[in-house]
Amino acid sequence: MSRSFEDARSLILDNISRLPAETVPLLESLGRALAVDIKAPFDLPRFDNSAMDGFAVRSEDCQRPSVTLQVSGYIPAGGRAEPAVESGCAVRIMTGAPIPPGCDAVVPFEETEERASEVVIGGPVKRCDHIRFKGEDIREQELAMSSGCRLRPAEINMLASFGHSELSVHRRAKVAILSTGDELVELGHPLSTEVIVNSNSWSLAAAVRELGAEPVMLGIAKDNHASLREKLSAGLQYDALITSAGVSAGDRDFVREILTELEVKQLFWKVDIKPGRPTAFGVKGVTPVFSLPGNPVSSMITFDQFVRPALLKMMGHSQTDKPLFKATLKEAIKKKAGRVQFMRVVVSNENGELFISSSGDQNTAIVCTMLRANGLAILPAERDYFAAGERVPVQFI
Ligand code: AMP
Ligand code: MG
């Protein structure tokens, strides 16, 4: 039985469990999913401080168009907020330095005139001007980041401010990659005209690594029971197994048969999509097995649509879907109704509006149009014609 695209995706996600957490040094957490909620352990900023290089003043002193104040002190960044500033006085202050008691505004240098131990200030000065207040970024005990959030440089910045030199994140998935086919040779093998280099293992490994998971290359299984049995059982020892080819209707397409023998429960083996119809998915215990088609383009697209969200979920990410944009078709498209079609497209931005046009030949054996594409248009199954000027969903690749 063939599955709809949406059913196949939810069936996969429903069968993925999250990997356990581990503690890693702060920088190692980049790109990974947080395994705990993080609350602010204190207010940020921790104290009222100056947002400018200038003079800290008492705003009540500076309500006339021009006032002259006595410069009574200097506070560099990292300095102490002492002593309290008396009426009629101002303190030279640098960005980030603590505001001394008595002051409630900072006047930037550009708006002042310094004369020996005095400064002339043009008023009126508003209370609170150019001060960053304690807790205005985040308050003590406020939720800063939720479990499942992907750690980017911004998150790492705040975690460092909170004093986290190490962090609890979900483990990286170790993902076995196995190509199958008697025609395949490994990269490095002398290249005669009859052979096909196993390029899929490389694109799949690259895609796995791009997600922050660890690819484990299992090489090539021949199209026979013994070879497949050996390699597939080895692959089942990892967090996930991805195979390419050998799942269509060819007379040597044994992958599914051997997976069943190895007690992998098959959940589907055909999806109403193009390309990528002969995509199969199964599980053995908590180990998911993705059997992708052999055509390089099909294997890349089915990885993107099925394996990517699954591995992200496994590695604890709460955001598993790529954002979907609407883009306007530059030319009309015909397709057969009944399957979701992934079209390799060039997305361009013209005056703020997204446009798409085909990146060329959509045959699945053509890899060049994948190289030329920066997006995949996702054309709904039920439709068979899209007019130029229509807006259709697209994802960046
Ligand atoms: P199959 O799914 O076995 O019918 O393979 C479909 C097409 O993809 C055939 O032309 C294969 O030669 C090609 N193919 C299969 N596996 C790979 C691979 N690992 N690397 C590159 N091409 C492949
Ligand atoms: Mg084959």
Side-chain angles (χ1 to χ4, degrees), residues 20-232:
E22 62 181 358
T23 300
V24 300
L26 182 59
L27 197 51
E28 295 308 308
S29 72
L30 180 66
R32 295 173 70 173
L34 197 55
V36 288
D37 287 344
I38 299 281
K39 284 186 177 169
F42 36 67
D43 283 347
L44 275 186
R46 302 197 73 174
F47 51 86
D48 295 351
N49 67 87
S50 177
M52 298 292 281
D53 298 324
F55 288 92
V57 299
R58 304 168 69 104
S59 61
E60 72 213 18
D61 288 350
C62 311
Q63 293 309 306
R64 282 173 288 116
S66 171
V67 284
T68 303
L69 301 173
Q70 194 67 36
V71 178
S72 64
Y74 167 61
I75 310 178
R80 295 178 66 89
E82 292 175 340
V85 176
E86 311 273 298
S87 180
C89 294
V91 160
R92 261 179 91 82
I93 194 164
M94 299 298 122
T95 305
I99 303 293
C103 291
D104 61 2
V106 170
V107 184
F109 283 141
E110 305 86 277
E111 297 166 22
T112 67
E113 206 181 300
E114 266 188 283
R115 291 188 196 143
S117 61
E118 288 178 343
V119 60
V120 180
I121 294 198
V125 170
K126 282 214 303 279
R127 245 187 97 225
C128 304
D129 257 9
H130 304 299
I131 294 183
R132 305 162 175 159
F133 287 97
K134 178 174 192 285
E136 75 173 18
D137 191 354
I138 190 161
R139 291 236 165 252
E140 181 176 343
Q141 285 309 304
E142 203 179 311
L143 184 66
M145 293 159 223
S146 306
S147 165
C149 130
R150 189 167 75 92
L151 298 166
R152 302 167 303 168
E155 279 77 20
I156 287 185
N157 179 293
M158 191 168 275
L159 288 161
S161 297
F162 290 164
H164 292 279
S165 57
E166 41 182 42
L167 207 60
S168 177
V169 294
H170 287 276
R171 186 159 78 62
R172 290 182 195 279
K174 285 199 170 69
V175 182
I177 296 168
L178 177 65
S179 284
T180 72
D182 286 337
E183 76 278 32
L184 302 176
V185 296
E186 288 297 11
L187 181 60
H189 188 277
L191 297 176
S192 67
T193 45
E194 296 79 43
V195 298
I196 292 174
V197 173
N198 168 18
S199 56
N200 285 355
S201 284
W202 294 92
S203 49
L204 291 170
V208 164
R209 183 171 287 179
E210 207 171 47
L211 297 178
E214 268 177 49
V216 180
M217 303 274 234
L218 297 185
I220 301 165
K222 294 280 176 198
D223 288 325
N224 66 60
H225 286 214
S227 176
L228 281 167
R229 206 174 289 129
E230 182 206 326
K231 298 277 190 179
L232 289 171

Side-chain angles (χ1 to χ4, degrees), residues 12 28 48 78 84 86 110 135 157 168 190 211 220 230 235 238 287 293 301 333 364 371 382 384 396:
I12 290 175
E28 295 308 308
D48 295 351
E86 311 273 298
E110 305 86 277
N157 179 293
S168 177
L211 297 178
I220 301 165
E230 182 206 326
Y238 295 88
T287 308
I301 290 178
I333 303 168
T364 50
L371 268 59
E382 62 283 2
D384 62 0
F396 287 96

Side-chain angles (χ1 to χ4, degrees), residues 201-381:
S201 284
W202 294 92
S203 49
L204 291 170
V208 164
R209 183 171 287 179
E210 207 171 47
L211 297 178
E214 268 177 49
V216 180
M217 303 274 234
L218 297 185
I220 301 165
K222 294 280 176 198
D223 288 325
N224 66 60
H225 286 214
S227 176
L228 281 167
R229 206 174 289 129
E230 182 206 326
K231 298 277 190 179
L232 289 171
S233 0
L236 289 169
Q237 307 310 309
Y238 295 88
D239 297 317
L241 168 60
I242 305 173
T243 69
S244 106
V247 276
S248 11
D251 48 9
R252 290 208 203 149
D253 288 343
F254 300 132
V255 171
R256 283 188 46 223
E257 185 183 330
I258 306 299
L259 284 173
T260 306
E261 240 183 73
L262 295 171
E263 294 170 346
V264 173
K265 189 170 127 207
Q266 305 276 312
L267 295 171
F268 64 78
W269 45 91
K270 243 185 218 161
V271 193
D272 298 332
I273 55 173
K274 187 183 174 169
R277 191 164 147 102
T279 296
F281 174 69
V283 282
K284 179 166 188 177
V286 292
T287 308
V289 181
F290 303 90
S291 307
L292 309 183
N295 268 308
V297 171
S298 311
S299 74
M300 288 186 258
I301 290 178
T302 49
F303 180 96
D304 187 59
Q305 296 296 318
F306 297 120
V307 188
R308 181 182 183 279
L311 292 182
L312 288 175
K313 179 176 177 190
M314 181 181 279
M315 294 190 291
H317 292 267
S318 46
Q319 181 67 48
T320 57
D321 287 349
K322 276 190 186 173
L324 210 53
F325 297 90
K326 283 269 180 147
T328 306
L329 286 171
K330 283 195 167 176
E331 65 250 355
I333 303 168
K334 271 196 207 142
K335 73 183 257 297
K336 281 209 186 99
R339 293 204 247 165
V340 171
Q341 188 163 325
F342 302 105
M343 186 168 115
R344 288 155 260 168
V345 294
V346 178
V347 187
S348 56
N349 180 340
E350 294 171 25
N351 302 318
E353 191 180 341
L354 296 181
F355 284 88
I356 49 177
S357 52
S358 166
S359 68
D361 193 338
Q362 297 290 315
N363 185 313
T364 50
I366 305 292
V367 181
C368 272
T369 47
M370 193 74 186
L371 268 59
R372 242 174 264 144
N374 62 348
L376 271 189
I378 303 177
L379 306 172

